[in-house]
């Protein structure tokens, strides 16, 4: 694959779980963990980073989380578009093209702000790339006289043409733009988070331990919040059962503690 | 007395080991910070390890509606005692946040003491919400003389009585909601006492008793008035030279922006017009609103209810020149024919969001195509990069307008159409096809269609 000058080479990081399973992940994904980030910066990452307290099962889940969150944050806004100063309501045009399933498409970084889906057509006949929500494949309408509709020019001048397609044929480009706004992308991420934590309490605690060991702040926050919500709706005994907390109070001690903060139990 | 025997220890098997025991206390405490204080404290009975965890929590959030018991004096006292104990016992250098949701009689001395205790423990953020059923309530004067308070949020449909002496040297953020503002003097005392105020929000406050609201806070950066009640006769004097964000949603008042707001980055102006406005009222405010908008002309990003503005003062927008405006979002139904004149007023405009409205086909001249100016507005020729048309309607005049933009937008990068409806509907298909065929002045222009 040709390399583009603006795109830094993809660096991979190797992790080894407690049960000796190897995971190879992108550096941007790995950087979600402050621990790994420090290890890499201090040059202690070769040949692999050993994660002794985390099993492969849990590590795989953690990596899944980091991957999804990495994809959500690396969309770049074309130069010059007002991204940060204008807090315009939903629908701000200052959005970038987001990829449907979270895969980061690395080939579409273009210089000087020209959006990557530049339709350059020879004779002025316009063409559009229709963008649809949530990964539905797009159709590119063929223009009447057979002119190929999309010629995308990428940074270093290498042109690449998409196939000439007739109306109705669906195909997916490497970069399927989701014609949605930042707001919907945020909601997608929230939905992912909500699904991610729909697991058994024991798994949640294991994930928490892993996130804490690896120092992944956002995951720690997410699980803390989830556990808090779970605890809120449980009685004292239910909490004890769910998290296998041993009650080492005597009957008397327990009653006393409850009396001291009576209102909390009403 | 002999101690009762300890409960038989459960033999921990691999699966039954205390799952949370590997986590440090810090994490357990962090979990507790997401809980209302009542639930956080209730965990202390789980085991000896959990007994004192809540003592290191820096925030206290109390909500007296969280009890299943019927509200009476005894329960109120129990609640107050619990709250007070929490404030006193916390083993932290100062309380970080004190939140109180009170549906009881807020005036009760027990509740007042609670608030004072938080202040005495050098609290940084106070968030008091007095419930709707409370008819009277006064805030203890301690709230207005705290040396440590940074954020003050007060909500409640009660009269805000400000004491004679106000000194809040560290206060940066203030939010007042639903309050009935007591008097001119009262407000003046309040703002005089917080010189470092940076962020002020007044939401649904009642200005019935205030003739002049004087906001001369030199360091104010963010100001928000949202749906003030009975404000039409109130004079709003705003002398805030460093303002960066200004939001006003509600009826027009007698604005007096003392100086032009030079640092203003964003303004959100949404006027609500009363359905039956007397002409005299509109006339009275005309100069005033006109001056008001004029002082906002240095803004960079603007959200504006163009419909109410045009309804009150047709054609007024074209009187202004927004020299530095780069992003404009218009809301409300207005006749798109005035769009070119709006564009003339903003020579540096780069981003534009406009709603397509039903006013188009209610035009007196019917649906006949109208002539768009031959002299292309400066921004369209030089700066306008992104346009979004919301609530798309497949009307001839709309297509004309789109064609005009595409033909003349030299630096257009992206044009978005939303509200086209289901993707495979005839309407959507034909509209998309038609728009795609329009010749484009800018080769790099991209057209995006959205269903909703």
């Amino acid at each position: 694959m040709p390399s583009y000058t603006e795109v830094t080479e993809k660096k991979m990081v190797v992790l080894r779980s407690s049960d000796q399973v190897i995971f190879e992940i992108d550096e941007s994904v790995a950087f979600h963990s402050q621990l790994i980030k420090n290890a890499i910066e201090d040059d202690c990452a070769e040949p692999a980073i050993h994660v002794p307290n985390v099993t492969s099962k849990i590590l795989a889940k953690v990596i899944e989380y980091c991957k999804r969150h990495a994809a959500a944050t690396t969309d770049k806004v074309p130069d010059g578009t007002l991204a940060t100063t204008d807090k315009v309501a939903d629908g701000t045009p200052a959005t970038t093209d987001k990829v449907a399933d979270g895969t980061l498409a690395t080939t579409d970084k273009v210089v000087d702000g020209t959006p990557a889906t530049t339709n350059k057509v020879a004779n002025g006949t316009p063409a559009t790339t229709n963008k649809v929500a949530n990964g539905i494949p797009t159709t590119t309408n063929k223009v009447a006289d057979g002119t190929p509709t999309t010629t995308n020019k990428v940074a270093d001048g290498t042109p690449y043409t998409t196939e000439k397609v007739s109306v109705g044929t669906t195909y997916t480009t490497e970069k399927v733009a989701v014609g949605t706004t930042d707001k919907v992308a945020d909601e997608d991420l929230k939905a992912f988070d909500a699904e991610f934590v729909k697991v058994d309490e024991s798994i949640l605690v294991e994930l928490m331990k892993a996130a804490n060991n690896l120092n992944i702040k956002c995951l720690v926050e997410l699980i803390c919040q989830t556990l808090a919500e779970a605890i809120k709706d449980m009685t004292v005994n239910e909490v004890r059962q769910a998290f296998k907390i041993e009650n080492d109070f005597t009957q008397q001690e327990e009653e006393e503690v409850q009396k001291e903060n009576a209102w909390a139990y009403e | 007395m002999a101690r009762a025997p300890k409960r038989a220890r459960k033999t921990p098997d691999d699966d039954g080991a205390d799952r949370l025991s590997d986590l440090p206390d810090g994490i357990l405490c962090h979990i507790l910070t997401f809980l209302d204080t009542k639930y956080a404290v209730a965990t202390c009975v789980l085991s000896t390890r959990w007994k004192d965890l809540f003592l290191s929590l820096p925030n206290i959030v109390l909500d007296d509606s969280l009890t299943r018991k019927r509200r009476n004096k005894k329960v109120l006292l129990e609640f107050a005692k619990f709250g007070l104990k929490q404030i006193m016992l916390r083993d932290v250098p100062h309380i970080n946040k004190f939140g109180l949701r009170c549906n009881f009689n807020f005036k009760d001395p027990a509740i007042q003491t609670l608030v004072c205790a938080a202040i005495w423990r050098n609290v940084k953020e106070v968030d008091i919400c007095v419930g709707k059923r409370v008819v009277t309530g006064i805030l203890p004067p301690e709230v207005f003389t705290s040396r440590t308070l940074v954020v003050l949020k007060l909500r409640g449909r009660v009269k805000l009585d400000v004491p004679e002496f106000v000194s809040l040297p560290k206060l940066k953020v203030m939010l007042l909601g639903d309050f009935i503002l007591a008097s001119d003097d009262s407000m003046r005392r309040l703002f005089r006492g917080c010189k470092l105020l940076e962020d002020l929000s007044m939401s649904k406050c009642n200005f019935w008793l205030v003739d002049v609201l004087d906001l001369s806070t030199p360091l104010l950066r963010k100001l928000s008035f949202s749906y003030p009640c009975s404000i039409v006769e109130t004079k709003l004097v705003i002398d805030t030279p460093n303002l960066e964000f200004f939001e006003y949603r509600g009826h027009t008042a007698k604005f007096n922006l003392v100086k032009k707001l030079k640092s203003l980055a964003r303004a959100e102006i949404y006027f609500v017009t009363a359905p039956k406005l007397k002409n005299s009222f509109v006339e009275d405010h005309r100069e005033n609103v006109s001056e008001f908008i004029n002082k906002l002309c240095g803004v960079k990003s603007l959200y504006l209810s163009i419909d109410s503005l045009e309804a009150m003062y047709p054609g007024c927008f074209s009187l202004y020149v927004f020299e530095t405006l780069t992003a404009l979002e218009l809301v409300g139904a207005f006749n798109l024919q005035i769009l070119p004149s709006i564009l003339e007023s903003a020579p540096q405009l780069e981003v534009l969001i406009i709603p397509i409205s039903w006013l188009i086909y209610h035009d007196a001249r019917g649906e006949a195509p109208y002539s768009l100016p031959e002299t292309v507005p400066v921004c369209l020729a030089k700066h306008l990069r992104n346009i979004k048309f919301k609530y798309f309607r497949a009307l001839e005049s709309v297509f004309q307008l789109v064609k005009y933009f595409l033909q003349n937008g030299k630096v257009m990068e992206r044009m978005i159409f939303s509200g086209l409806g289901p993707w495979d509907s005839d309407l959507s298909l034909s509209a998309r096809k038609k728009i795609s065929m329009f010749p484009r002045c800018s080769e790099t222009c991209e057209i995006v269609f959205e269903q909703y």
Side-chain angles (χ1 to χ4, degrees), chain B residues 124-128 139 143-146 149-155 160-163 166-179 181 186-205 207 213-217 219-226 243 245 247:
Chain B
K124 283 199 173 154
E125 179 178 337
V126 165
D127 184 345
I128 297 179
L139 283 164
V143 174
F144 297 97
T145 49
S146 160
L149 207 57
V150 176
V151 177
L152 178 59
K153 294 183 185 171
L154 300 172
R155 273 172 279 232
L160 181 66
D161 268 317
V162 180
V166 175
S167 167
L168 294 163
K170 291 253 165 79
L171 196 71
K172 285 200 176 158
V173 178
M174 188 182 324
L175 181 143
L176 297 174
D178 297 308
F179 275 99
L181 305 179
S186 194
M187 292 289 99
R188 208 169 289 137
R189 285 200 293 270
L190 181 61
F191 297 126
R192 214 179 17 223
C194 26
K195 290 284 183 215
L196 288 192
L197 199 62
E198 287 181 6
D199 182 337
L200 174 65
S201 301
M202 300 185 98
S203 162
K204 301 194 187 122
C205 288
F207 287 77
L213 185 75
D214 195 340
L215 283 173
S216 309
T217 338
L219 296 174
L220 202 67
R221 287 166 56 198
K222 188 170 173 230
L223 178 59
S224 162
F225 280 94
S226 131
L243 206 63
F245 175 84
E247 176 187 8

Side-chain angles (χ1 to χ4, degrees), chain B residues 391-411:
Chain B
Y391 321 120
F392 187 79
R393 298 257 187 304
L395 300 165
E396 189 49 47
S397 21
V398 176
F399 285 120
Q400 276 234 308
L401 193 69
V402 173
K403 195 168 175 189
Y404 179 76
F405 278 120
L406 284 170
Q407 247 173 340
N408 297 297
K410 286 212 178 75
V411 294

Side-chain angles (χ1 to χ4, degrees), chain A residues 78-82 85-97 113-115 117-120 126-133 136 139 143 179-181 201-202 205 208-209 212 220-221 224-225 227-229 231-232 236 239-254 257-258 260-261 263-266, chain B residues 3-4 6-7 9-10 15-20 22-24 27 30-31 34-35 38-39 41-48 50-51 54 63-64 66-69 75 78-79 82 85-86 245 266 268 301 303 326-327 329 350-353 385-388 390 413-414 416 423 432 436-438 440 443-444 446-451:
Chain A
D79 285 335
T81 318
L82 289 169
T85 51
D86 60 323
K87 195 173 58 91
V88 195
D90 62 83
T92 172
T95 46
T96 60
D97 298 324
T114 322
T117 51
T118 303
N119 299 327
K120 281 209 163 102
T128 33
T129 308
N130 299 324
K131 296 170 207 302
V132 196
I136 307 168
T139 46
V143 188
T180 48
T181 62
E201 272 105 17
S202 55
V205 177
M208 172 70 102
K209 288 181 193 169
N212 188 40
V220 170
E221 283 292 305
C224 276
Q225 201 167 5
L227 288 172
E229 271 161 45
I231 290 175
K232 191 172 122 184
V236 171
V239 177
R240 284 193 187 125
Q241 268 174 4
F243 299 102
K244 295 279 192 295
I245 299 173
E246 196 199 312
N247 181 3
D248 51 354
F249 285 121
T250 63
Q251 185 106 355
Q252 221 178 2
E253 283 170 345
E254 196 176 325
V257 171
Q258 277 201 311
E260 276 174 19
N261 295 299
W263 192 82
Y265 299 99
E266 285 174 13
Chain B
R3 282 200 118 186
K6 276 205 160 172
R7 213 169 256 159
R9 275 181 177 271
K10 283 192 203 147
D15 212 35
D18 185 345
R19 291 175 186 156
L20 292 175
D22 292 344
L23 289 170
I27 295 282
H30 197 61
I31 297 174
F34 289 96
L35 290 167
K38 178 178 195 275
Y39 303 117
V41 173
T43 63
C44 70
V45 80
L46 284 172
S47 78
T48 51
W50 288 77
K51 182 160 166 283
F54 73 87
D63 186 341
D64 69 1
L66 289 179
T67 176
R68 280 161 295 186
K69 290 201 169 170
V75 173
E78 266 174 25
F79 169 73
F82 172 78
K85 195 164 179 184
Q86 285 304 307
F245 175 84
R266 176 153 172 94
E268 290 182 20
S301 168
Y303 169 100
T326 48
E329 179 173 2
E350 295 175 21
V351 176
L352 176 64
I353 300 178
R385 291 180 288 118
N386 284 328
I387 301 188
K388 177 166 178 165
K390 288 169 88 169
E413 284 174 15
R414 186 182 292 191
I416 304 178
W423 200 243
R432 273 152 41 213
S436 317
M437 294 299 207
F438 288 152
R440 295 174 216 183
E443 280 186 0
T444 56
E446 179 192 15
I447 298 190
V448 180
F449 298 102
E450 289 174 8
Q451 290 182 74

Side-chain angles (χ1 to χ4, degrees), chain B residues 121-398:
Chain B
R121 282 222 63 186
N122 296 329
V123 67
K124 283 199 173 154
E125 179 178 337
V126 165
D127 184 345
I128 297 179
C129 186
V130 179
K132 294 212 168 95
R133 270 179 255 173
V134 176
V135 180
T136 58
I138 46 167
L139 283 164
E142 275 83 353
V143 174
F144 297 97
T145 49
S146 160
R147 274 172 294 132
T148 52
L149 207 57
V150 176
V151 177
L152 178 59
K153 294 183 185 171
L154 300 172
R155 273 172 279 232
R157 209 166 286 172
V158 292
K159 199 157 134 190
L160 181 66
D161 268 317
V162 180
E164 278 296 326
F165 180 62
V166 175
S167 167
L168 294 163
K170 291 253 165 79
L171 196 71
K172 285 200 176 158
V173 178
M174 188 182 324
L175 181 143
L176 297 174
D178 297 308
F179 275 99
I180 300 165
L181 305 179
S183 66
D184 292 9
D185 241 5
S186 194
M187 292 289 99
R188 208 169 289 137
R189 285 200 293 270
L190 181 61
F191 297 126
R192 214 179 17 223
C194 26
K195 290 284 183 215
L196 288 192
L197 199 62
E198 287 181 6
D199 182 337
L200 174 65
S201 301
M202 300 185 98
S203 162
K204 301 194 187 122
C205 288
N206 194 309
F207 287 77
W208 175 245
L209 298 164
V210 178
D211 287 326
V212 178
L213 185 75
D214 195 340
L215 283 173
S216 309
T217 338
L219 296 174
L220 202 67
R221 287 166 56 198
K222 188 170 173 230
L223 178 59
S224 162
F225 280 94
S226 131
Y227 303 106
C229 308
S230 314
I231 200 171
V232 285
E233 293 298 314
T234 310
K235 194 168 174 202
L236 273 184
V237 179
I238 300 171
D239 185 4
T240 51
N242 292 308
L243 206 63
E244 291 169 16
F245 175 84
F246 183 36
E247 176 187 8
Y248 190 90
R249 288 168 195 262
H251 293 291
T252 53
K254 291 185 174 156
F255 298 107
N256 183 356
L257 277 167
V258 175
K259 296 179 191 100
K260 203 160 178 173
L261 296 174
K262 291 202 180 118
S263 314
L264 201 61
R266 176 153 172 94
E268 290 182 20
I269 309 291
Y270 188 91
F271 288 135
V272 172
T273 36
K276 295 163 195 169
L277 275 181
K278 292 202 177 120
N279 276 336
S280 58
F281 167 85
V282 173
E283 280 309 311
D284 272 347
H285 279 221
R286 177 189 291 272
E287 266 308 307
N288 196 262
V289 171
S290 190
E291 241 330 276
F292 172 69
I293 305 275
N294 197 29
K295 294 257 168 64
L296 298 178
C297 280
V299 72
K300 296 198 180 65
S301 168
L302 178 63
Y303 169 100
L304 178 65
S305 62
I306 189 77
D307 55 343
S308 43
L309 199 63
E310 280 292 301
M312 288 192 285
Y313 315 109
C316 70
F317 203 90
S318 48
L319 299 172
Y320 310 119
V321 179
F322 291 86
E323 285 291 353
T324 47
L325 192 65
T326 48
L328 176 62
E329 179 173 2
L330 298 172
V331 288
F334 70 101
N335 195 328
L336 286 182
Q337 282 186 254
I338 65 168
L339 201 52
S341 67
I342 290 177
L343 293 180
E344 293 282 2
S345 321
Q348 304 278 338
L349 198 64
E350 295 175 21
V351 176
L352 176 64
I353 300 178
I354 45 180
I356 307 231
S357 68
W358 49 267
L359 267 184
I360 277 288
Y361 56 83
H362 276 250
D363 189 274
R365 282 163 282 184
E367 261 248 78
Y370 55 91
S371 55
L372 291 155
E374 272 187 29
T375 21
V376 176
V378 174
C379 63
L380 189 56
K382 288 195 183 164
H383 301 283
L384 200 51
R385 291 180 288 118
N386 284 328
I387 301 188
K388 177 166 178 165
F389 293 95
K390 288 169 88 169
Y391 321 120
F392 187 79
R393 298 257 187 304
L395 300 165
E396 189 49 47
S397 21
V398 176

Side-chain angles (χ1 to χ4, degrees), chain A residues 56-67:
Chain A
S56 54
K57 180 178 162 201
I58 298 293
L59 192 56
K61 274 222 100 178
V62 172
I63 290 173
E64 184 195 331
Y65 175 88
C66 293
K67 269 192 181 152

